[in-house]
Amino acid sequence: QAQIAESGGGSVQSGESVRLSCDASGRIKRIYSMAWYRRVPGKERELVALITDAGRTNYTETVKGRFIISRDNTGKTVYLQMNDLNVDDTAMYYCVLDTAPDNGPGHIVVWGRGTQVTVSS
């Protein structure tokens, strides 16, 4: 099964930028998509950005034009460049992989442990 290592979180001021990284390792047959979710205590978990194995991307409305999701040539590292951050972006950010099982069809979703991003005004 895949393992995930996230990095890049921290504390910044409004208007600054942060880049998150997510490295996938272990037994990986295929990665269908890689995504970043975020969660604020007391609120629903939110899909922030997603990139498919074909390179298609999708963003939640509140981050369009500010965040960019990308991946490296191996397809096992995904980045989230977050620009012009504001206090509403404060959250725990999780990397999520949608992968293929070793045998047969289907999907296995793997979550990282999360990395905290805190934005102060």
Side-chain angles (χ1 to χ4, degrees):
Q1 182 168 331
Q3 288 87 45
I4 293 175
E6 300 138 321
S7 62
S11 297
V12 296
Q13 299 285 322
S14 283
E16 294 184 341
S17 299
V18 168
R19 188 173 87 152
L20 305 181
S21 297
C22 170
D23 296 306
S25 61
R27 292 177 58 179
I28 302 174
K29 178 180 178 181
R30 179 182 174 183
I31 298 176
Y32 294 114
S33 68
M34 304 175 84
W36 289 94
Y37 282 74
R38 65 187 178 187
R39 186 164 189 174
V40 176
K43 293 187 177 182
E44 291 290 323
R45 186 174 58 197
E46 177 183 38
L47 172 62
V48 178
L50 178 147
I51 184 165
T52 70
D53 56 354
R56 289 189 293 272
T57 59
N58 188 34
Y59 299 89
T60 190
E61 197 63 34
T62 57
V63 308
K64 285 181 179 178
R66 299 188 299 123
F67 291 12
I68 300 171
I69 189 169
S70 62
R71 62 184 182 184
D72 73 349
N73 290 335
T74 69
K76 293 185 179 180
T77 298
V78 65
Y79 306 99
L80 184 66
Q81 177 67 39
M82 305 189 293
N83 301 317
D84 192 21
L85 286 160
N86 58 63
V87 293
D88 292 331
D89 296 315
T90 295
M92 183 70 80
Y93 285 75
Y94 298 90
C95 179
V96 181
L97 269 56
D98 181 3
T99 66
D102 289 340
N103 299 301
H107 295 253
I108 297 176
V109 179
V110 183
W111 285 75
R113 294 190 175 187
T115 182
Q116 178 69 33
V117 175
T118 302
V119 185
S120 56
S121 58

